[in-house]
Amino acid sequence: AQSVTQLGSHVSVSEGALVLLRCNYSSSVPPYLFWYVQYPNQGLQLLLKYTSAATLVKGINGFEAEFKKSETSFHLTKPSAHMSDAAEYFCAVSGLGGANSKLTFGKGITLSVRP
Amino acid sequence: KAGVTQTPRYLIKTRGQQVTLSCSPISGHRSVSWYQQTPGQGLQFLFEYFSETQRNKGNFPGRFSGRQFSNSRSEMNVSTLELGDSALYLCASSLGAGGPQETQYFGPGTRLLVL
């Protein structure tokens, strides 16, 4: 069974500071990993995804994530936080597609950005 | 291209009633997945439909059912509503071919409140 673990439920940073949101995965097959963001009263928006083409994945809004197989991690980072980054962030893992294409999500991390 | 649309956006029902939620996928997408989001359980996969057939199913009771029409639109039905069914129900669409390039695009969700 595949799963992801997001450590901590809330992260608070100052505007302009580094954002680091952690995600560790467990998978018996090569995983496909995703980061989604959810703004209040909205659905989920894809930030980026890892599909084995490159270990460093760049996404939208300046976010990037690095796949580290030795650490089973896929942490999300952004060099400089902006007030508009305040939202809930979800890490998710998917199977190989077809019958295994469902997404399994972590519990989510709420990011607050202080002025 | 229009995104995933869900109707209605908000719904209030009483215990014991049934409810039907609707989802229209992105044009050309043949797979529709449904997820339930609650503060306690987070995001949980309900089921996935592809070409009018249920292709994958999560661990929910039989009160939760769905279907997909020939135009790929999907409906989700919950019978004999319980208080614990109060949640945000998210629909996601994808091309449906499976594989590592498959990205699920989410709608804004239907917020269901059961009184």
Short mmCIF file of all heavy atoms in Angstrom, two decimals, chain B residues 3-44:
data_model
loop_
_atom_site.label_atom_id
_atom_site.label_comp_id
_atom_site.label_asym_id
_atom_site.label_seq_id
_atom_site.Cartn_x
_atom_site.Cartn_y
_atom_site.Cartn_z
N GLY B 3 -12.68 24.48 -16.86
CA GLY B 3 -12.22 23.53 -15.86
C GLY B 3 -13.31 22.58 -15.44
O GLY B 3 -14.39 22.52 -16.05
N VAL B 4 -13.05 21.86 -14.37
CA VAL B 4 -14.02 20.93 -13.82
C VAL B 4 -15.10 21.74 -13.08
O VAL B 4 -14.77 22.63 -12.30
CB VAL B 4 -13.34 19.95 -12.83
CG1 VAL B 4 -14.38 19.01 -12.23
CG2 VAL B 4 -12.24 19.18 -13.54
N THR B 5 -16.33 21.45 -13.37
CA THR B 5 -17.42 22.15 -12.69
C THR B 5 -18.21 21.16 -11.85
O THR B 5 -18.41 20.00 -12.23
CB THR B 5 -18.35 22.85 -13.69
OG1 THR B 5 -18.88 21.87 -14.60
CG2 THR B 5 -17.60 23.89 -14.49
N GLN B 6 -18.66 21.65 -10.70
CA GLN B 6 -19.45 20.84 -9.79
C GLN B 6 -20.69 21.61 -9.37
O GLN B 6 -20.62 22.80 -9.09
CB GLN B 6 -18.64 20.47 -8.54
CG GLN B 6 -17.48 19.54 -8.81
CD GLN B 6 -16.80 19.08 -7.54
OE1 GLN B 6 -15.64 19.40 -7.28
NE2 GLN B 6 -17.53 18.30 -6.73
N THR B 7 -21.79 20.90 -9.33
CA THR B 7 -23.05 21.51 -8.88
C THR B 7 -23.78 20.56 -7.96
O THR B 7 -23.69 19.33 -8.11
CB THR B 7 -23.96 21.84 -10.08
OG1 THR B 7 -24.21 20.66 -10.84
CG2 THR B 7 -23.36 22.92 -10.95
N PRO B 8 -24.49 21.09 -6.95
CA PRO B 8 -24.43 22.49 -6.54
C PRO B 8 -23.15 22.77 -5.76
O PRO B 8 -22.40 21.85 -5.46
CB PRO B 8 -25.66 22.61 -5.64
CG PRO B 8 -25.78 21.25 -5.02
CD PRO B 8 -25.36 20.28 -6.09
N ARG B 9 -22.86 23.97 -5.43
CA ARG B 9 -21.69 24.31 -4.63
C ARG B 9 -21.95 24.09 -3.15
O ARG B 9 -21.04 23.74 -2.39
CB ARG B 9 -21.26 25.75 -4.88
CG ARG B 9 -20.70 26.03 -6.27
CD ARG B 9 -19.35 25.29 -6.49
NE ARG B 9 -18.41 25.52 -5.42
CZ ARG B 9 -17.64 26.59 -5.32
NH1 ARG B 9 -17.70 27.55 -6.23
NH2 ARG B 9 -16.79 26.71 -4.30
N TYR B 10 -23.15 24.33 -2.72
CA TYR B 10 -23.51 24.17 -1.31
C TYR B 10 -24.85 23.45 -1.21
O TYR B 10 -25.73 23.64 -2.04
CB TYR B 10 -23.60 25.53 -0.61
CG TYR B 10 -22.34 26.34 -0.69
CD1 TYR B 10 -22.16 27.26 -1.72
CD2 TYR B 10 -21.32 26.17 0.24
CE1 TYR B 10 -20.99 28.00 -1.81
CE2 TYR B 10 -20.15 26.91 0.15
CZ TYR B 10 -19.99 27.82 -0.87
OH TYR B 10 -18.83 28.54 -0.96
N LEU B 11 -24.97 22.65 -0.17
CA LEU B 11 -26.16 21.83 -0.01
C LEU B 11 -26.40 21.57 1.48
O LEU B 11 -25.47 21.24 2.20
CB LEU B 11 -25.95 20.51 -0.74
CG LEU B 11 -27.12 19.72 -1.30
CD1 LEU B 11 -28.04 20.60 -2.12
CD2 LEU B 11 -26.58 18.60 -2.16
N ILE B 12 -27.64 21.73 1.90
CA ILE B 12 -28.01 21.40 3.27
C ILE B 12 -29.10 20.34 3.23
O ILE B 12 -30.11 20.52 2.55
CB ILE B 12 -28.51 22.63 4.05
CG1 ILE B 12 -27.41 23.69 4.12
CG2 ILE B 12 -28.92 22.23 5.47
CD1 ILE B 12 -27.85 24.99 4.79
N LYS B 13 -28.86 19.24 3.93
CA LYS B 13 -29.82 18.14 3.97
C LYS B 13 -30.02 17.72 5.42
O LYS B 13 -29.24 18.10 6.31
CB LYS B 13 -29.30 16.95 3.16
CG LYS B 13 -29.25 17.19 1.66
CD LYS B 13 -30.63 17.16 1.05
CE LYS B 13 -30.57 17.25 -0.45
NZ LYS B 13 -31.96 17.21 -1.06
N THR B 14 -31.03 16.92 5.66
CA THR B 14 -31.26 16.37 7.00
C THR B 14 -30.97 14.88 6.99
O THR B 14 -30.98 14.22 5.93
CB THR B 14 -32.69 16.63 7.47
OG1 THR B 14 -33.60 16.08 6.51
CG2 THR B 14 -32.95 18.12 7.62
N ARG B 15 -30.71 14.37 8.17
CA ARG B 15 -30.40 12.94 8.31
C ARG B 15 -31.49 12.09 7.68
O ARG B 15 -32.68 12.38 7.83
CB ARG B 15 -30.28 12.58 9.79
CG ARG B 15 -28.92 12.88 10.38
CD ARG B 15 -28.86 12.42 11.82
NE ARG B 15 -29.87 13.07 12.63
CZ ARG B 15 -30.12 12.76 13.90
NH1 ARG B 15 -29.43 11.79 14.48
NH2 ARG B 15 -31.03 13.39 14.58
N GLY B 16 -31.06 11.02 7.01
CA GLY B 16 -32.01 10.12 6.40
C GLY B 16 -32.34 10.44 4.95
O GLY B 16 -32.81 9.57 4.21
N GLN B 17 -32.10 11.67 4.54
CA GLN B 17 -32.36 12.03 3.15
C GLN B 17 -31.27 11.48 2.25
O GLN B 17 -30.27 10.92 2.71
CB GLN B 17 -32.43 13.55 3.00
CG GLN B 17 -33.67 14.18 3.59
CD GLN B 17 -33.75 15.67 3.26
OE1 GLN B 17 -32.80 16.43 3.45
NE2 GLN B 17 -34.92 16.10 2.75
N GLN B 18 -31.49 11.64 0.96
CA GLN B 18 -30.45 11.27 0.01
C GLN B 18 -30.06 12.50 -0.79
O GLN B 18 -30.80 13.49 -0.84
CB GLN B 18 -30.90 10.15 -0.91
CG GLN B 18 -31.87 10.56 -2.00
CD GLN B 18 -32.01 9.47 -3.08
OE1 GLN B 18 -31.76 8.29 -2.84
NE2 GLN B 18 -32.43 9.87 -4.26
N VAL B 19 -28.89 12.44 -1.41
CA VAL B 19 -28.40 13.60 -2.15
C VAL B 19 -27.66 13.13 -3.40
O VAL B 19 -27.05 12.06 -3.41
CB VAL B 19 -27.47 14.45 -1.25
CG1 VAL B 19 -26.18 13.69 -0.92
CG2 VAL B 19 -27.15 15.78 -1.90
N THR B 20 -27.75 13.95 -4.44
CA THR B 20 -27.02 13.67 -5.68
C THR B 20 -26.17 14.87 -6.04
O THR B 20 -26.67 16.00 -6.08
CB THR B 20 -27.99 13.36 -6.83
OG1 THR B 20 -28.76 12.20 -6.51
CG2 THR B 20 -27.22 13.11 -8.12
N LEU B 21 -24.90 14.63 -6.26
CA LEU B 21 -23.97 15.68 -6.65
C LEU B 21 -23.53 15.43 -8.08
O LEU B 21 -23.40 14.29 -8.52
CB LEU B 21 -22.74 15.65 -5.73
CG LEU B 21 -22.99 15.59 -4.22
CD1 LEU B 21 -21.67 15.61 -3.46
CD2 LEU B 21 -23.89 16.73 -3.78
N SER B 22 -23.25 16.51 -8.80
CA SER B 22 -22.91 16.39 -10.20
C SER B 22 -21.53 16.96 -10.50
O SER B 22 -21.09 17.92 -9.85
CB SER B 22 -23.96 17.12 -11.05
OG SER B 22 -23.67 17.01 -12.43
N CYS B 23 -20.88 16.37 -11.48
CA CYS B 23 -19.54 16.80 -11.87
C CYS B 23 -19.41 16.74 -13.39
O CYS B 23 -19.69 15.70 -14.00
CB CYS B 23 -18.49 15.89 -11.22
SG CYS B 23 -16.80 16.16 -11.81
N SER B 24 -18.96 17.84 -13.98
CA SER B 24 -18.67 17.86 -15.41
C SER B 24 -17.17 17.99 -15.60
O SER B 24 -16.57 18.98 -15.14
CB SER B 24 -19.39 19.03 -16.08
OG SER B 24 -20.78 18.83 -16.07
N PRO B 25 -16.53 17.02 -16.21
CA PRO B 25 -15.07 17.04 -16.34
C PRO B 25 -14.62 18.01 -17.43
O PRO B 25 -15.43 18.54 -18.18
CB PRO B 25 -14.75 15.60 -16.73
CG PRO B 25 -15.96 15.14 -17.48
CD PRO B 25 -17.12 15.81 -16.81
N ILE B 26 -13.33 18.19 -17.48
CA ILE B 26 -12.72 18.98 -18.55
C ILE B 26 -12.99 18.28 -19.87
O ILE B 26 -12.95 17.04 -19.94
CB ILE B 26 -11.21 19.14 -18.31
CG1 ILE B 26 -10.97 20.00 -17.07
CG2 ILE B 26 -10.50 19.71 -19.52
CD1 ILE B 26 -9.53 20.04 -16.61
N SER B 27 -13.27 19.05 -20.89
CA SER B 27 -13.58 18.49 -22.19
C SER B 27 -12.44 17.57 -22.66
O SER B 27 -11.26 17.93 -22.63
CB SER B 27 -13.77 19.62 -23.22
OG SER B 27 -14.00 19.10 -24.50
N GLY B 28 -12.83 16.36 -23.06
CA GLY B 28 -11.83 15.39 -23.52
C GLY B 28 -11.36 14.44 -22.45
O GLY B 28 -10.72 13.42 -22.75
N HIS B 29 -11.63 14.75 -21.19
CA HIS B 29 -11.26 13.86 -20.10
C HIS B 29 -12.31 12.78 -19.94
O HIS B 29 -13.50 13.05 -19.95
CB HIS B 29 -11.12 14.64 -18.79
CG HIS B 29 -9.87 15.46 -18.73
ND1 HIS B 29 -9.43 16.03 -17.55
CD2 HIS B 29 -8.97 15.80 -19.68
CE1 HIS B 29 -8.31 16.68 -17.78
NE2 HIS B 29 -8.01 16.56 -19.07
N ARG B 30 -11.84 11.54 -19.77
CA ARG B 30 -12.77 10.42 -19.69
C ARG B 30 -12.83 9.78 -18.31
O ARG B 30 -13.65 8.93 -18.06
CB ARG B 30 -12.37 9.37 -20.73
CG ARG B 30 -12.46 9.86 -22.17
CD ARG B 30 -11.83 8.89 -23.14
NE ARG B 30 -12.51 7.60 -23.12
CZ ARG B 30 -12.02 6.50 -23.70
NH1 ARG B 30 -10.83 6.53 -24.27
NH2 ARG B 30 -12.71 5.37 -23.67
N SER B 31 -11.92 10.21 -17.44
CA SER B 31 -11.91 9.65 -16.08
C SER B 31 -12.39 10.70 -15.09
O SER B 31 -11.97 11.86 -15.14
CB SER B 31 -10.50 9.20 -15.71
OG SER B 31 -10.42 8.89 -14.34
N VAL B 32 -13.25 10.29 -14.19
CA VAL B 32 -13.73 11.16 -13.11
C VAL B 32 -13.56 10.43 -11.79
O VAL B 32 -14.00 9.29 -11.64
CB VAL B 32 -15.20 11.54 -13.31
CG1 VAL B 32 -15.72 12.30 -12.09
CG2 VAL B 32 -15.38 12.39 -14.57
N SER B 33 -12.91 11.10 -10.85
CA SER B 33 -12.73 10.54 -9.51
C SER B 33 -13.43 11.43 -8.50
O SER B 33 -13.54 12.65 -8.69
CB SER B 33 -11.24 10.45 -9.16
OG SER B 33 -10.56 9.57 -10.03
N TRP B 34 -13.87 10.83 -7.42
CA TRP B 34 -14.52 11.56 -6.34
C TRP B 34 -13.75 11.37 -5.05
O TRP B 34 -13.27 10.27 -4.74
CB TRP B 34 -15.96 11.06 -6.15
CG TRP B 34 -16.90 11.43 -7.25
CD1 TRP B 34 -17.14 10.72 -8.40
CD2 TRP B 34 -17.75 12.58 -7.31
NE1 TRP B 34 -18.08 11.37 -9.16
CE2 TRP B 34 -18.47 12.52 -8.52
CE3 TRP B 34 -17.96 13.67 -6.46
CZ2 TRP B 34 -19.39 13.49 -8.90
CZ3 TRP B 34 -18.88 14.63 -6.83
CH2 TRP B 34 -19.59 14.54 -8.04
N TYR B 35 -13.64 12.46 -4.29
CA TYR B 35 -12.95 12.45 -3.01
C TYR B 35 -13.83 13.14 -1.97
O TYR B 35 -14.54 14.09 -2.27
CB TYR B 35 -11.61 13.19 -3.08
CG TYR B 35 -10.59 12.53 -3.98
CD1 TYR B 35 -10.61 12.76 -5.36
CD2 TYR B 35 -9.62 11.70 -3.46
CE1 TYR B 35 -9.67 12.16 -6.19
CE2 TYR B 35 -8.67 11.10 -4.29
CZ TYR B 35 -8.70 11.33 -5.64
OH TYR B 35 -7.77 10.74 -6.46
N GLN B 36 -13.72 12.66 -0.73
CA GLN B 36 -14.39 13.30 0.39
C GLN B 36 -13.34 13.98 1.26
O GLN B 36 -12.31 13.38 1.57
CB GLN B 36 -15.14 12.26 1.23
CG GLN B 36 -15.90 12.85 2.41
CD GLN B 36 -16.31 11.80 3.44
OE1 GLN B 36 -15.47 11.17 4.05
NE2 GLN B 36 -17.61 11.62 3.60
N GLN B 37 -13.58 15.22 1.64
CA GLN B 37 -12.64 15.95 2.50
C GLN B 37 -13.33 16.37 3.78
O GLN B 37 -14.32 17.11 3.75
CB GLN B 37 -12.06 17.17 1.79
CG GLN B 37 -10.98 17.89 2.60
CD GLN B 37 -10.38 19.07 1.87
OE1 GLN B 37 -10.99 19.64 0.97
NE2 GLN B 37 -9.16 19.44 2.24
N THR B 38 -12.82 15.90 4.90
CA THR B 38 -13.33 16.29 6.21
C THR B 38 -12.16 16.71 7.09
O THR B 38 -11.03 16.27 6.87
CB THR B 38 -14.07 15.14 6.91
OG1 THR B 38 -13.16 14.04 7.07
CG2 THR B 38 -15.27 14.68 6.10
N PRO B 39 -12.41 17.55 8.11
CA PRO B 39 -11.33 17.97 9.00
C PRO B 39 -10.68 16.78 9.73
O PRO B 39 -9.48 16.78 9.94
CB PRO B 39 -12.03 18.90 9.98
CG PRO B 39 -13.21 19.41 9.24
CD PRO B 39 -13.67 18.26 8.40
N GLY B 40 -11.46 15.79 10.05
CA GLY B 40 -10.93 14.67 10.82
C GLY B 40 -10.19 13.63 9.99
O GLY B 40 -9.13 13.15 10.37
N GLN B 41 -10.73 13.28 8.85
CA GLN B 41 -10.17 12.21 8.02
C GLN B 41 -9.37 12.72 6.83
O GLN B 41 -8.71 11.92 6.15
CB GLN B 41 -11.30 11.31 7.50
CG GLN B 41 -12.08 10.61 8.60
CD GLN B 41 -11.20 9.72 9.44
OE1 GLN B 41 -10.36 8.98 8.91
NE2 GLN B 41 -11.34 9.80 10.76
N GLY B 42 -9.41 14.01 6.58
CA GLY B 42 -8.66 14.54 5.45
C GLY B 42 -9.31 14.19 4.13
O GLY B 42 -10.53 14.04 4.04
N LEU B 43 -8.47 14.02 3.12
CA LEU B 43 -8.95 13.70 1.77
C LEU B 43 -8.95 12.19 1.58
O LEU B 43 -7.91 11.55 1.67
CB LEU B 43 -8.04 14.34 0.72
CG LEU B 43 -8.27 15.81 0.45
CD1 LEU B 43 -7.01 16.48 -0.05
CD2 LEU B 43 -9.39 15.97 -0.58
N GLN B 44 -10.12 11.66 1.25
CA GLN B 44 -10.24 10.22 1.06
C GLN B 44 -10.88 9.92 -0.29
O GLN B 44 -11.87 10.54 -0.67
CB GLN B 44 -11.07 9.60 2.17
CG GLN B 44 -10.41 9.68 3.54
CD GLN B 44 -11.23 8.94 4.58
OE1 GLN B 44 -12.28 9.40 5.02
NE2 GLN B 44 -10.76 7.76 4.96
#
